[in-house]
Amino acid sequence: MTQRVPVVENILNANDRLAEENRARLDAAGVFAVNLMASPGAGKTSLIEQTLPRLADRLRVAVVDGDIATSIDADRAAAAGAQAAIQVNTGGECHLDAGMLHGALNQLDPTQFDLL
């Protein structure tokens, strides 16, 4: 028989609060943020590489890239024309959480970008 244990407090509350802070910071700077997620090898970085040159005349773009251990994808984004490319090494995680993004945003001046 399966039993459910009620959780009294949402364990993601801290992440949610930090995500709200990240969003408010980007909103205050007028930055439009896109979260691109897919399986490894799906073409996320290739899409970024193809998109950046097409936006270069119109938008100032920064990229925050999550990778388990390397900076290859952030390097590719920078080579494709991102004004800033921040690499977050996730240490085995397959996604960026709000804290990881918060750390990356602390390395950027959001007022210098239109798109993240």
Side-chain angles (χ1 to χ4, degrees):
M1 183 169 138
T2 303
Q3 281 189 330
R4 289 186 180 218
V5 177
V7 177
V8 177
E9 182 179 336
N10 181 351
I11 61 172
L12 296 177
N13 277 344
N15 188 73
D16 291 346
R17 283 191 303 274
L18 200 49
E20 288 174 14
E21 183 180 319
N22 292 340
R23 168 55 46 211
R25 184 174 177 194
L26 293 171
D27 285 346
V31 176
F32 184 80
V34 176
N35 185 7
L36 191 59
M37 297 186 307
S39 299
K44 300 176 298 293
T45 302
S46 294
L47 177 63
I48 290 168
E49 285 179 309
Q50 294 297 311
T51 302
L52 284 170
R54 290 170 171 82
L55 298 176
D57 293 342
R58 295 177 280 166
L59 297 171
R60 302 167 300 164
V61 182
V63 174
V64 174
D65 186 86
D67 192 284
I68 293 172
T70 72
S71 66
I72 293 170
D73 293 340
D75 294 340
R76 287 173 60 186
Q83 282 81 11
I86 304 296
Q87 181 66 53
V88 176
N89 292 120
T90 63
E93 295 293 324
C94 62
H95 66 282
L96 295 179
D97 62 24
M100 293 175 192
L101 179 59
H102 185 78
L105 290 176
N106 285 337
Q107 297 179 48
L108 296 170
D109 177 358
T111 65
Q112 299 301 306
F113 304 100
D114 306 302
L115 177 63
L116 176 67

